[in-house]
Amino acid sequence: MNPLTAISEPTASLGQAPTIPRNAPKFRTEADVASGQSFATGIDWEAIEAHVARLQRQLAHAVEQHHRPAIRHYKWLLRHSYHAKLLAIRMVTQENAGRKTPGVDGRTYTTPDERDLLLQEVDLQRRPLPVRRVFIPKKNGKLRPLGIPSISDRVAQALHKFAMEPEWDVQFEPNSYGFRPNRSAWDAIEQLFKLLAPRRAPQWVIEGDIKGFFDNVQHHLLLARLAPEDRTYIRRILEAPIMDPRRGKPCQGARATVTLPADRRRLL
């Protein structure tokens, strides 16, 4: 039982009411856990992480049960959760390698007081700011264009990721490992060992790559696969203007900012 809540994990149909054990601790709401907490005064990260993880588990369970009303409900909770916003800000401004790289607004949030200010500024309803385009070298010597959103837009994207990742992760193939939670290259190595170690194992390993996938992916196909409650948010992200330093002003153009899992066949 999760110590953060008295409601047990869903095990029956989502149409039934959750069961509450007799010896369960007193229920603590988000307001109870987050009251008096801020980046400046300190945050009980263990309790907040547990609360967000519980919502994501319930969302994944609703997806497995094909319960659309519950799916929309849990995704709304994750997008508007105060706890999820705290985690998103910590991930973007403290843990991410690009936490000191500003967007077009030139702002970074490196102190606790600045992160508390960002907590009030993040708004999922507004349109994203233009992205700052930079060029990074590729292995073949060419340059790859990279769009850098503002810090507040990165936090908004992280919130959408919290809400969408559990829904899609349970639908992908069991042996895909790229850009998926709680999976790494070591899991892929383990699966390869199980397949190739036996004496009568396959003798060939074929490596494949989709040339220029992110340069040519059709965004309308991606959007068509999304649920209606996700489509508006993701369309705004994909269609955000680009601030090209060579032109000095924003230009309209779609950009692929959503990280796709390795199993792209199911998505397209």
Side-chain angles (χ1 to χ4, degrees):
M1 170 63 63
N2 188 335
L4 183 63
T5 175
I7 300 179
S8 63
E9 297 297 332
T11 55
S13 172
L14 285 173
Q16 302 177 5
T19 57
I20 302 179
R22 294 180 180 179
N23 59 345
K26 181 181 178 181
F27 180 77
R28 298 170 65 193
T29 64
E30 271 201 12
D32 295 332
V33 176
S35 61
Q37 297 189 49
S38 68
F39 285 94
T41 61
I43 297 174
D44 184 0
W45 290 114
E46 183 177 357
I48 289 176
E49 288 173 352
H51 194 185
V52 174
R54 179 175 67 87
L55 289 177
Q56 291 183 312
R57 287 194 300 270
Q58 291 174 323
L59 171 57
H61 179 77
V63 174
E64 292 173 340
Q65 298 295 319
H66 306 287
H67 198 300
R68 284 300 308 167
I71 293 173
R72 290 193 297 269
H73 173 69
Y74 287 124
K75 288 164 78 171
W76 187 94
L77 286 178
L78 283 164
R79 281 193 169 101
H80 295 83
S81 166
Y82 182 75
H83 291 172
K85 187 181 292 187
L86 288 172
L87 288 178
I89 291 176
R90 185 184 70 171
M91 181 176 68
V92 171
T93 64
Q94 295 180 260
E95 299 175 348
N96 191 273
R99 58 188 177 274
K100 295 183 180 179
T101 304
V104 294
D105 57 357
R107 302 180 65 182
T108 57
Y109 300 82
T110 57
T111 66
D113 290 334
E114 290 175 339
R115 296 183 187 114
D116 286 331
L117 179 62
L118 177 61
L119 190 62
Q120 307 301 323
E121 294 177 351
V122 174
D123 183 7
L124 299 183
Q125 299 302 320
R126 70 168 179 81
R127 291 186 176 276
L129 295 173
V131 297
R132 183 167 63 90
R133 170 165 285 181
V134 297
F135 295 89
I136 58 177
K138 300 169 63 174
K139 292 182 179 179
N140 57 8
K142 297 182 179 180
L143 295 177
R144 180 192 302 275
L146 180 66
I148 301 180
S150 66
I151 296 291
S152 60
D153 287 339
R154 284 179 239 174
V155 173
Q157 290 181 17
L159 286 171
H160 296 314
K161 182 175 181 288
F162 287 158
M164 296 176 63
E165 191 171 60
E167 178 184 13
W168 284 99
D169 190 64
V170 298
Q171 300 181 61
F172 285 124
E173 300 293 342
N175 287 329
S176 63
Y177 300 94
F179 304 105
R180 295 183 62 179
N182 302 318
R183 296 191 179 212
S184 67
W186 291 105
D187 298 307
I189 292 173
E190 179 184 7
Q191 183 64 22
L192 287 172
F193 178 81
K194 292 179 180 179
L195 292 174
L196 301 177
R199 179 174 300 178
R200 296 184 179 181
Q203 299 299 309
W204 292 89
V205 176
I206 301 176
E207 179 183 4
D209 186 29
I210 303 177
K211 183 178 180 181
F213 176 82
F214 289 101
D215 298 330
N216 301 287
V217 61
Q218 299 295 314
H219 290 162
H220 70 277
L221 296 178
L222 297 178
L223 294 171
R225 297 287 295 179
L226 299 180
E229 62 268 18
D230 301 328
R231 207 167 292 152
T232 300
Y233 297 115
I234 303 305
R235 180 183 291 110
R236 289 176 179 175
I237 293 173
L238 293 174
E239 296 179 353
I242 300 172
M243 180 69 76
D244 194 329
R246 297 170 300 184
R247 299 184 181 183
K249 60 180 181 179
C251 59
Q252 294 295 333
R255 60 186 181 90
T257 59
V258 179
T259 300
L260 297 178
D263 189 0
R264 297 161 181 154
R265 297 168 308 192
R266 293 290 298 275
L267 196 59
L268 298 177

